[in-house]
Amino acid sequence: MRTTWVVVCAAVLVVSGIAWSTVATISTGIERSDAIPDDAPRSSSGRNILIMGLTTRLDLHGEPLPDDVLRRLQAGESDRGGYNANTLILLHIPVSGPAVAMSVPRDNLVPLASGGEGKIKEAYGRAKVAEEDRLRAIGQNDKRTLERAGREAGRKAQVQTVAGFLNQPVDHLVEISLIGFFHIAEGLGGVDVCLQKATKDPLSGADFPAGPQHLDAGQSLSFVRQRHGLPNGDLDRTKRQQAFLAAVVRRVKGADVAAVQSMIDMAKQDVVLDARFDLTEFARNVPTEVRFETLPVEGGAHLDGKDVNKVDAEKVRSKVTELATAPPPSADGVPCID
């Protein structure tokens, strides 16, 4: 089982035999979204959960994180208000059998729900700005109201953009902000990963030797953020995000109830779920196997001053269908990544 913390917690708590009362606490206090309407198309072959990680350095109410937290994150301050969905994973859970988590590279050039083309990660931020501008034009100036409405518009646009690109309905949504990765690792006391080669990147704070190693919370965030100094840039960062989430699962499996509860309490403030997502029901029916895959790109291009990934939409959709039909089994242990 490899997915973001909120899904991981529900699944692993059940597998570990932890009380259902603990599972139920995951849902308490989590922000809910109406970005997926009740009449939206639903998957007929199981469930599709869109997991997206935002780059914003702001909390759920649009307030800046404290400077001491930003220093611990080693994430800088230049993009405090950015709302790119830098992590996009479609988790397909079939009616029976293993599940597959498909990473969508963030720089894929695709049609956006708001119109025109752009990087797939930009759907959220563009829609958020447009909705806030619309509301200001009719006299709405309350900061929290604008933030809530803008983020709801962003979620809806990101769901529609991914669903359109992959030609797949999205049944559920899980959103996690940048600090959530930090809180996950901090609540668990760090995670274990393995690298084939030593790597260093001052922009993300990454400075890791080759081989297996234990990362604390700050190092974990540097690990999932690094793209400079890697042979394939963002595509290699995707592998790091996958490795981190797999490490979270391994860590939770070996943790006691107190450690799991600590992670839940610390991380739930950074997560948003769609209104229909029933975690208790999900946990009762969670698959025992999930494998990560990265959807294909056709190379890079430079467009309007931006580096983008060229994609063949039909090839991508064919790959999604293939993976959803017969995903390969997941591997055990802590595999070393590039």
Side-chain angles (χ1 to χ4, degrees):
M1 293 168 289
R2 301 173 183 175
T3 179
T4 196
W5 82 270
V6 68
V7 179
V8 165
C9 283
V12 175
L13 288 174
V14 178
V15 173
S16 302
I18 296 175
W20 278 105
S21 59
T22 305
V23 178
T25 65
I26 300 174
S27 292
T28 305
I30 289 182
E31 180 99 358
R32 293 286 180 162
S33 168
D34 294 319
I36 303 176
D38 290 343
D39 60 354
R42 303 288 168 176
S43 174
S44 60
S45 60
R47 282 174 292 176
N48 289 330
I49 302 173
L50 178 61
I51 301 163
M52 58 185 184
L54 301 184
T55 56
T56 181
R57 276 74 161 162
L58 304 177
D59 66 17
L60 285 176
H61 305 295
E63 299 296 334
L65 299 175
D67 288 336
D68 64 319
V69 173
L70 285 172
R71 284 193 293 271
R72 294 179 69 195
L73 294 179
Q74 301 182 72
E77 303 182 25
S78 61
D79 190 29
R80 282 196 177 197
Y83 285 90
N84 284 334
N86 275 358
T87 300
L88 290 168
I89 299 173
L90 185 72
L91 176 66
H92 176 72
I93 303 175
V95 175
S96 63
V100 59
M102 295 167 271
S103 291
V104 184
R106 67 172 191 163
D107 289 337
N108 285 0
L109 183 64
V110 304
L112 300 178
S114 57
E117 284 191 324
K119 295 182 180 183
I120 195 166
K121 68 177 183 180
E122 297 173 338
Y124 192 114
R126 289 192 186 187
K128 180 178 184 296
V129 170
E131 177 64 8
E132 290 174 354
D133 287 346
R134 183 189 72 81
L135 290 174
R136 288 192 187 95
I138 60 175
Q140 178 58 257
N141 292 304
D142 180 73
K143 183 178 178 180
R144 290 206 169 189
T145 299
L146 291 171
E147 182 72 14
R148 169 69 182 176
R151 292 187 69 159
E152 277 290 88
R155 292 169 190 134
K156 181 179 292 187
Q158 196 67 64
V159 167
Q160 292 175 348
T161 298
V162 173
F165 174 55
L166 301 182
N167 195 30
Q168 291 284 325
V170 174
D171 301 293
H172 295 297
L173 170 69
V174 177
E175 173 190 299
I176 183 169
S177 59
L178 181 69
I179 193 175
F181 287 98
F182 179 88
H183 280 153
I184 290 169
E186 188 171 43
L188 285 175
V191 296
D192 298 313
V193 300
C194 183
L195 290 172
Q196 293 182 3
K197 300 177 182 178
T199 183
K200 189 172 184 178
D201 169 31
L203 294 178
S204 65
D207 187 1
F208 307 118
Q213 54 205 283
H214 182 78
L215 307 182
D216 64 20
Q219 291 171 321
S220 296
L221 187 62
S222 296
F223 181 77
V224 299
R225 291 183 61 238
Q226 184 185 5
R227 62 188 175 95
H228 297 285
L230 301 178
N232 298 304
D234 269 336
L235 297 180
D236 282 342
R237 173 158 64 176
T238 295
K239 292 181 182 178
R240 275 161 164 66
Q241 293 167 352
Q242 294 169 352
F244 170 81
L245 296 174
V248 169
V249 175
R250 290 190 296 270
R251 189 73 173 168
V252 170
K253 284 183 177 179
D256 58 24
V257 176
V260 174
Q261 189 65 59
S262 175
M263 183 188 72
I264 293 170
D265 292 340
M266 295 181 69
K268 66 170 54 178
Q269 62 191 302
D270 313 308
V271 170
V272 179
L273 302 177
D274 68 273
R276 293 166 56 97
F277 201 148
D278 184 338
L279 286 178
T280 304
E281 184 274 335
F282 170 82
R284 286 194 178 100
N285 298 284
V286 69
T288 57
E289 293 182 43
V290 179
R291 181 187 174 99
F292 270 111
E293 297 284 348
T294 301
L295 297 178
V297 300
E298 302 298 309
H302 198 67
L303 182 68
D304 297 331
K306 297 180 179 180
D307 292 321
V308 300
N309 295 327
K310 295 185 296 184
V311 293
D312 184 322
E314 290 307 313
K315 285 185 180 180
V316 171
R317 292 168 180 175
S318 177
K319 185 66 175 178
V320 170
T321 300
E322 173 192 333
L323 292 171
T325 303
S330 59
D332 296 326
V334 185
C336 287
I337 63 172
D338 295 335

